[in-house]
Amino acid sequence: MASSKAPATSPHSTGFSASAPLLEAPATVRISSDLVIGCSSIRHSAALRILDHHLHTTGLLPRPSAGDAGVDIYCVGQAVTAFPQNSLLLDELHKSSNNAAAKSHVWVARAGQGSSIIFGGAITLNELVLTTCSRVFVRVDLESGRPMRVTEEERSSIFAVDDDWNGRGRFGHSIPRVDQLNAGDDTLSRSCRSLAGDEVLTVVVGPQHINHGDHVDHAFLAETASHALFLGCPETSNKTYGMDAESSTLLVQYLAPGRLGQELRCHVKDQQLASVWGDDGAGKWQLLV
């Protein structure tokens, strides 16, 4: 399920402190495809792809296709906030001196007593903060099929929580809470069938949508749900990505994995909640996002 919100409490750009984030890497923000037309905001799905690539290069998560065949990893929830920069972003991206100025920042925001690990993320361009993000992962033992708990040793080493876990100290914005989708919408307490709403979009999962872990790419599912949301209620799109918007947040909850060749049907409920359903191959529809 995906929900979009447009809070208006933060400034457009913020200078962040000189203290370096836990992990930092160059990022490529493509003028041709990563920006929302008309408001110079990075697309939510583009931000998710940039931060996902960075996370997988850090070694913080196992590689399911090589080196650790007994473990798989799943992203179970994401929240990404984009901050429109009006003409500032395009001006900065068009400067040849800024070709390597965009950066992705990733850190451990939380490693609880259970199996979930929350990573914080941000994308910056010089002094501009383009996005902040929260992403929840779980590791699954393939033999038992059960989530793997985070050990005390891991919490004190590889998954040690960063001092600035919410990002506000460095970037001037707190990372969005992934649990807002659950806590902030009574619709989710109803039955799955009640979430269906009006069907607005149908797509088929192709080879280009499968990632290296042989999963349907989470950014593709988020983008599909977001597309459906804005098709079903254009006024939400105008409010979220309008020139006067201070920020826009996309909240995504993943409920089941998809598969190659699967037909996906996207529904919009109450002009604020999108759901993605997948054909289970037996004549039934399963709620995926």
Side-chain angles (χ1 to χ4, degrees), residues 173-252:
H173 306 283
S174 296
I175 57 177
R177 290 175 51 190
V178 184
D179 61 355
Q180 282 179 334
L181 188 58
N182 284 325
D185 199 323
D186 293 337
T187 306
L188 299 183
S189 64
R190 307 171 194 166
S191 67
C192 287
R193 183 56 56 187
S194 70
L195 295 172
D198 299 322
E199 184 177 330
V200 297
L201 179 67
T202 300
V203 296
V204 175
V205 178
Q208 71 274 23
H209 303 134
I210 305 298
N211 61 27
H212 70 94
D214 202 28
H215 298 166
V216 178
D217 181 61
H218 60 81
F220 159 70
L221 290 173
E223 186 172 47
T224 300
S226 178
H227 190 189
L229 184 64
F230 295 145
L231 282 176
C233 40
E235 62 275 12
T236 297
S237 178
N238 295 334
K239 183 186 300 184
T240 301
Y241 287 130
M243 293 297 293
D244 295 331
E246 297 284 352
S247 64
S248 62
T249 299
L250 181 70
L251 313 174
V252 187

Side-chain angles (χ1 to χ4, degrees), residues 48-49 52-53 56 61-65 72-75 78 135 137 205-221 254 257-260:
L48 292 176
R49 288 191 174 96
D52 186 63
H53 171 74
H56 283 289
L61 291 174
R63 294 177 58 187
S65 59
D72 205 349
I73 54 175
Y74 290 90
C75 179
Q78 304 190 92
R135 309 177 66 224
F137 284 82
V205 178
Q208 71 274 23
H209 303 134
I210 305 298
N211 61 27
H212 70 94
D214 202 28
H215 298 166
V216 178
D217 181 61
H218 60 81
F220 159 70
L221 290 173
Y254 300 94
R259 69 177 191 281
L260 181 63

Side-chain angles (χ1 to χ4, degrees), residues 108-114 116-118 150 154-155 159-161:
V108 178
R110 181 180 177 186
Q113 299 298 316
S116 63
I117 307 160
I118 300 180
V150 180
E154 289 174 328
R155 267 190 293 274
F159 296 134
V161 175

Side-chain angles (χ1 to χ4, degrees), residues 261-284:
Q262 190 173 33
E263 180 183 349
L264 306 180
R265 295 183 180 179
C266 309
H267 299 252
V268 173
K269 180 77 172 181
D270 298 333
Q271 297 188 353
Q272 62 179 343
L273 188 72
S275 58
V276 179
W277 301 73
D279 179 7
D280 68 357
K284 295 182 180 180

